[in-house]
Amino acid sequence: MEMILDQLSALAHPQRLALFRLLMRRYPDAVPAGELGEALAVRQNTLSAYLSTLRQAGLIDQTRQGRSLLYSARTAEAGALVSYLVEDCCRGRADRCADLSVRAPAPAGGYNVLFLCTGNSARSLMAEAILREEAGDRFTAFSAGTRPREQAHPMALDLLRKGGHDVSALHPKDAAIFREVDAPRMDFVISVCDRAANEDCPAWPGHPVAAHWGMPDSVLAQGTEAERHLAFREVHEGLRRRIFAFAALPLDTLDRLSRQHHLDTLAKEPVPA
């Protein structure tokens, strides 16, 4: 009980809660303190105090990489906190509290999957095209950006065309359109860039399973044209491996927690440097 109270107290502060929510969105990434401070616009000494409180409450882990301190969410502890609140507050009232262990049937029209990025000009468009190719009728793939660019990156489109993908419908879109009342309801929302995952966006309608598959930004690749093309191919291959494994999951037999676990496990697949 004492640990539960410590955790609730740690999360009662709005900025500590925002920090923990960011780390949950970035899970399983270990995020440098500097990036956390920049994303939340918090000064370093204040951030250090927040991180210390969350660590003492057992909600986050700290690791060292060279001179950098990295932080990650402790999802098992967060899950135990949620389980305690549900079990203690609901007292077995199934009509009041959803049971996350219940298997969710497949939607009649298949699963809707949204790949989210900042610009929606390369990584998320590639993911949309790959899933559409791999999925058959089981999935409908979408992509969007939190700050969409005006047009798709030509190297991304060129790579997809050469791979036999239909790119005629691929273009950057604002993520806000998928929160509108008449928008398709998503079953999965997967962010593929760290910057988009760092943003504190409104909850998605329908509460889809959310995951973060952070990939390097090939748009920022430097060097010769051949080296830049290689950066796009490596990101494409990293996405293809994860999406192929995702599309092969027996989702119809899995409850929500199991689906989340599988997506988080896929996030740990090695990515290009």
Side-chain angles (χ1 to χ4, degrees), residues 222-239:
Q222 303 291 317
T224 65
E225 184 173 356
E227 289 170 332
R228 294 174 64 208
H229 275 291
L230 176 60
F232 278 86
R233 288 198 300 271
E234 288 178 337
V235 169
H236 179 276
E237 177 58 21
L239 288 168

Side-chain angles (χ1 to χ4, degrees), residues 23-269:
L23 288 172
M24 286 295 290
R25 292 194 300 273
R26 287 290 300 274
Y27 182 83
D29 289 359
V31 187
E35 185 177 343
L36 295 172
E38 181 179 353
L40 297 173
V42 176
R43 289 183 295 183
Q44 193 61 43
N45 58 341
T46 304
L47 179 69
S48 296
Y50 293 161
L51 290 167
S52 177
T53 299
L54 291 171
R55 285 185 64 208
Q56 290 173 13
L59 291 169
I60 66 173
D61 278 327
Q62 173 188 282
T63 56
R64 180 177 291 277
Q65 188 176 82
R67 295 185 177 181
S68 298
L69 292 176
L70 309 180
Y71 296 89
S72 57
R74 301 185 67 178
T75 56
E77 284 69 15
L81 173 61
V82 172
S83 295
Y84 170 81
L85 293 174
V86 170
E87 292 167 5
D88 188 69
C89 296
C90 290
R91 297 287 182 177
R93 296 184 179 92
D95 59 325
R96 298 288 181 176
C97 301
D99 186 353
L100 298 180
S101 66
V102 173
R103 191 172 62 207
Y111 297 98
N112 289 333
V113 183
L114 176 65
F115 293 101
L116 191 64
C117 200
T118 305
N120 190 212
S121 66
R123 287 167 289 183
S124 51
L125 287 180
M126 287 193 285
E128 177 186 352
I130 294 167
L131 181 59
R132 189 171 292 131
E133 182 75 18
E134 296 285 354
D137 297 331
R138 292 184 65 217
F139 299 91
T140 302
F142 303 88
S143 70
T146 57
R147 301 175 191 178
R149 295 182 181 271
E150 293 185 2
Q151 58 187 11
H153 196 284
M155 285 190 174
L157 294 181
D158 181 61
L159 177 63
L160 291 171
R161 285 194 196 96
K162 290 179 178 177
H165 296 281
D166 179 6
V167 301
S168 59
L170 295 181
H171 64 278
K173 301 167 290 298
D174 195 316
I177 68 175
F178 292 100
R179 292 193 173 91
E180 295 176 356
V181 175
D182 58 348
R185 286 297 180 262
M186 295 300 141
D187 300 291
F188 300 91
V189 176
I190 302 172
S191 56
V192 293
C193 82
D194 295 346
R195 187 176 173 187
N198 286 350
E199 297 182 23
D200 187 7
C201 299
W204 293 97
H207 303 289
V209 174
H212 177 58
W213 294 352
M215 303 295 293
D217 190 353
S218 48
V219 172
L220 300 179
Q222 303 291 317
T224 65
E225 184 173 356
E227 289 170 332
R228 294 174 64 208
H229 275 291
L230 176 60
F232 278 86
R233 288 198 300 271
E234 288 178 337
V235 169
H236 179 276
E237 177 58 21
L239 288 168
R240 192 196 67 78
R241 289 198 307 268
R242 292 179 180 183
I243 290 169
F244 184 83
F246 168 65
L249 290 173
L251 295 174
D252 299 357
T253 69
L254 301 176
D255 59 41
R256 180 186 175 88
L257 290 178
S258 298
R259 293 175 181 177
Q260 184 72 67
H261 172 73
H262 280 290
L263 264 69
D264 289 342
T265 299
L266 289 175
K268 299 174 184 178
E269 285 287 320

